[in-house]
Amino acid sequence: MAATALPNQTTAIPRHTGLVPARHVLGLAFCAGLPLGLFGLTNLGVEAMGMIPLFFSPFGMPGPVGAIVHLAQLALLGTAWWVLCRDAPKSLARHWLTGLTVAYIALPFITPPLDSLQLSLVSTLLLLFCLATLNRVGAASARSGWLLAPVSIVLGTSAALGLILTAAYTPPFALVPDAQIHNAA
């Protein structure tokens, strides 16, 4: 009388195969690629207005290397968002991470018209925003917080170098050649 058995009695318990479901892989690829796609669309719109993005390339790195690092960080931000949504789906840290991603997409487009002081202040404000986001995201999901760590390191380097160079070449801290000191006396 197998026909009269209940369905939960006839189905076997599925075994874990160790494979990741395709929907998880597709979700990860979508979330990692979404900030890159938004950056591309923003680039198309801004380039139509005659502007080009300016990327952070310290220590003599060529500009394309800075662009690759920036795009890799955008992919990390998308991946961190995916992990955060899986670990803590109702966390308000998602809003902070979304705001940081939008600010990081806009960063190369708002930096070209800025002078060195303004650029270092923008980098410092973005670093503070990143640290606040890291605090909230890390509390909700430690894995997602670790994905934000490289972004905060690059922003910290950018802010520190910007403030150091601005202080070195802005009065009253500016380096003044000896000839100007002797001519003033």
Side-chain angles (χ1 to χ4, degrees), residues 24 28 31 78-94 97 136-148:
H24 293 310
L28 174 62
C31 287
T79 305
W81 196 86
W82 181 77
V83 170
L84 179 65
C85 287
R86 288 185 44 84
D87 290 351
K90 297 189 187 255
S91 172
L92 291 178
R94 292 177 298 138
L97 189 53
R136 285 160 177 80
V137 168
S141 167
R143 294 184 307 158
S144 185
W146 279 107
L147 288 168
L148 289 179

Side-chain angles (χ1 to χ4, degrees), residues 12-183:
I13 298 173
R15 302 174 103 197
H16 190 315
T17 61
L19 297 175
V20 177
R23 63 184 169 91
H24 293 310
V25 174
L26 290 175
L28 174 62
F30 177 76
C31 287
L34 184 62
L36 298 171
L38 291 175
F39 178 81
L41 289 174
T42 305
N43 191 23
L44 284 175
V46 172
E47 190 175 326
M49 296 186 310
M51 291 177 59
I52 58 170
L54 181 64
F55 297 101
F56 175 63
S57 299
F59 312 116
M61 287 189 323
V65 173
I68 291 169
V69 168
H70 186 81
L71 294 176
Q73 291 173 352
L74 286 175
L76 277 176
L77 287 169
T79 305
W81 196 86
W82 181 77
V83 170
L84 179 65
C85 287
R86 288 185 44 84
D87 290 351
K90 297 189 187 255
S91 172
L92 291 178
R94 292 177 298 138
H95 302 300
W96 281 84
L97 189 53
T98 302
L100 178 65
T101 304
V102 168
Y104 213 69
I105 288 171
L107 180 65
F109 302 107
I110 61 172
T111 56
L114 301 178
D115 65 3
S116 61
L117 177 62
Q118 293 168 339
L119 183 58
S120 64
L121 291 176
V122 166
S123 295
T124 304
L125 287 174
L126 193 58
L127 172 65
L128 293 174
F129 184 50
C130 181
L131 292 175
T133 303
L134 181 61
N135 185 26
R136 285 160 177 80
V137 168
S141 167
R143 294 184 307 158
S144 185
W146 279 107
L147 288 168
L148 289 179
V151 177
S152 63
I153 290 169
V154 170
L155 283 174
T157 305
S158 172
L161 286 177
L163 289 173
I164 289 168
L165 291 175
T166 300
Y169 293 104
T170 305
F173 307 109
L175 303 173
V176 181
D178 289 336
Q180 290 179 353
I181 294 173
H182 294 295
N183 291 339

